[in-house]
């Protein structure tokens, strides 16, 4: 079975409070994009399923998120056997784009079909919670408000058709370190989440784009912050209606209503960066 596993971007990312269990309550408007990994899922040839990809540093066996998802599916349903998964990675790893979670979600969907389990997307998303906080969103896809740790999902009006330029600079940012640096009571700038939702309802792309923000941008190390700002400035300079960092970074994206401007932004960013992608919004399952 062949599937594509769509990455996501955060149109907004806000941190509401630190919980007693040490996790943070988040509020994020999430959007699936057409930038995607390509997966093949088949019954395993040996006793234990494998995960092979074109990236030598990803785990090949039970530690790959696709095998963790397959095990979670078997455990939750008592159905389905071991599977071999082959992954063509197009989504950069550790990029704030939920590439691994997208792969895991695609495997849950594949196993549901292969085993004829007939679970609804909501039931599959529930199983996905055991694999990672972004997996439930990746199962449902489209445009959604994600709350709690990211697993409490409310579908939203779709992002209007647009061109999305994603640029991943060549460094990674530790998510636990970022959370460690956030003092929830001292967050000065927050995204206008309600305004973004209202703009989505109105089909107002520019209204969405100008209200986007990610509170992690305020707690980046200064040299990382300046590189993120430079990419955002380049996107805006080329005509983006708005630009923001996705998730815990370092990927930055811009929304464009005009394909020539989006292409010009890609060309300009590719002079400096290798991982630059032109994609669009992807719909819900
Ligand atoms: P998020 O936006 O959810 O924080 P991310 O984009 O920062 O995700 P991913 O690329 O989803 O990060 O995951 C990165 C980590 O997961 C790496 O440590 C990687 O080794 C591990 N991993 C396990 N399986 C996969 C997979 N199929 N694809 C990518 N990473 C995987």
């Amino acid at each position: 079975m062949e599937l594509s596993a769509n990455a996501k971007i955060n149109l907004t990312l806000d941190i509401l409070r630190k919980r007693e269990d040490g996790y943070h309550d988040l509020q994020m408007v999430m959007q699936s994009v057409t930038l995607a990994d390509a997966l093949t899922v088949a019954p395993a040839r040996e006793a234990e399923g494998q995960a092979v990809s074109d990236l030598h540093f990803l785990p090949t066996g039970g530690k790959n998120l696709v095998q963790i998802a397959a095990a979670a599916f078997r455990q939750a349903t008592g159905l389905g056997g071991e599977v071999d998964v082959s992954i063509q990675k197009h989504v950069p790893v550790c990029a704030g784009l939920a590439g691994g979670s997208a792969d895991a979600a695609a495997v849950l969907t594949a196993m549901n079909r292969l085993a004829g389990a007939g679970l609804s997307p909501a039931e599959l998303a529930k199983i996905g919670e055991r694999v990672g906080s972004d997996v439930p969103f990746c199962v449902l896809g489209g445009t959604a408000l994600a709350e709690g740790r990211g697993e409490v999902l409310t579908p939203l009006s779709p992002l209007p058709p647009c061109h999305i330029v994603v640029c991943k600079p060549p460094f990674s940012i530790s998510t636990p370190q970022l959370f460690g640096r956030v003092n929830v009571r001292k967050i000065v700038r927050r995204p206008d989440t309600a305004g973004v939702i209202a703009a989505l309802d109105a089909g107002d792309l520019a209204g969405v784009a100008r209200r986007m923000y990610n509170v992690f941008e305020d707690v980046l190390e200064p040299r990382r912050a300046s590189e993120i700002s430079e990419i955002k400035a380049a996107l805006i300079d080329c005509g983006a209606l708005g630009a923001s960092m996705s998730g815990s970074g370092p990927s930055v994206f811009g929304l464009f209503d005009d394909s020539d401007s989006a292409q010009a932004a890609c060309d300009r960013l590719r002079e400096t960066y290798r991982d630059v992608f032109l994609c669009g919004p992807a719909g819900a399952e």
Side-chain angles (χ1 to χ4, degrees):
M1 182 174 289
E2 294 187 357
L3 300 103
S4 71
N6 297 95
K8 63 86 187 161
I9 53 172
N10 288 81
L11 299 177
T12 67
L13 191 154
D14 201 359
I15 302 175
L16 302 185
R17 65 189 73 82
K18 187 162 184 188
R19 309 191 319 198
E20 305 233 315
D21 62 7
Y23 290 106
H24 289 82
D25 270 329
L26 308 175
Q27 189 175 54
M28 310 180 279
V29 177
M30 312 263 267
Q31 174 64 52
S32 301
V33 294
T34 54
L35 171 63
D37 292 338
L39 271 70
T40 309
V41 183
R45 276 167 299 180
E46 292 174 18
E48 272 187 24
Q50 294 298 306
V52 285
S53 79
D54 47 2
L55 296 182
H56 65 90
F57 55 85
L58 289 184
T60 52
K63 288 203 173 130
N64 194 294
L65 287 166
V66 296
Q67 291 300 350
I68 295 172
F73 181 88
R74 287 190 296 269
Q75 207 193 18
T77 62
L79 298 170
E82 293 279 333
V83 284
D84 286 337
V85 184
S86 127
I87 314 165
Q88 246 178 295
K89 288 297 293 183
H90 300 295
V91 180
V93 175
C94 292
L97 300 171
S101 303
D103 295 347
V107 166
L108 291 176
T109 303
M111 292 201 60
N112 192 33
R113 289 192 206 142
L114 286 171
L119 298 188
S120 66
E123 288 168 320
L124 277 185
K126 190 82 201 148
I127 300 175
E129 277 179 37
R130 304 177 190 193
V131 184
S133 330
D134 284 341
V135 180
F137 171 75
C138 291
V139 170
L140 300 176
T143 313
L145 181 68
E147 296 176 289
R149 289 171 60 189
E151 79 287 13
V152 183
L153 296 168
T154 311
L156 297 173
S157 303
L159 184 68
C162 61
H163 310 275
I164 303 173
V165 175
V166 179
C167 173
K168 188 196 106 53
F171 54 83
S172 53
I173 297 176
S174 150
T175 308
Q177 262 183 31
L178 267 193
F179 273 114
R181 278 202 229 117
V182 171
N183 181 337
V184 179
R185 266 162 285 154
K186 288 195 180 150
I187 295 176
V188 186
R189 192 170 165 210
R190 292 178 180 277
D192 177 5
T193 308
V196 167
I197 294 172
L200 286 167
D201 285 338
D204 173 10
L205 179 65
V208 172
R210 72 168 169 268
R211 292 181 173 88
M212 301 187 306
Y213 190 64
N214 180 336
V215 296
F216 280 137
E217 288 181 42
D218 277 346
V219 294
L220 295 170
E221 283 172 49
R223 70 198 165 106
R224 300 311 187 202
S226 67
E227 193 156 352
I228 299 296
S229 300
E230 275 169 31
I231 299 170
K232 284 172 70 169
L235 288 161
I236 299 288
D237 197 39
C238 290
L241 301 170
S244 188
M245 189 173 84
S246 184
S248 51
S251 298
V252 178
F253 66 91
L255 302 186
F256 294 80
D257 58 359
D258 166 63
S259 69
D260 289 346
S261 307
Q263 188 58 57
C266 279
D267 294 344
R268 174 150 155 201
L269 288 166
R270 280 188 185 131
E271 289 169 13
T272 312
Y273 298 104
R274 195 193 59 174
D275 290 330
V276 181
F277 308 93
L278 180 50
C279 58
E285 255 305 290

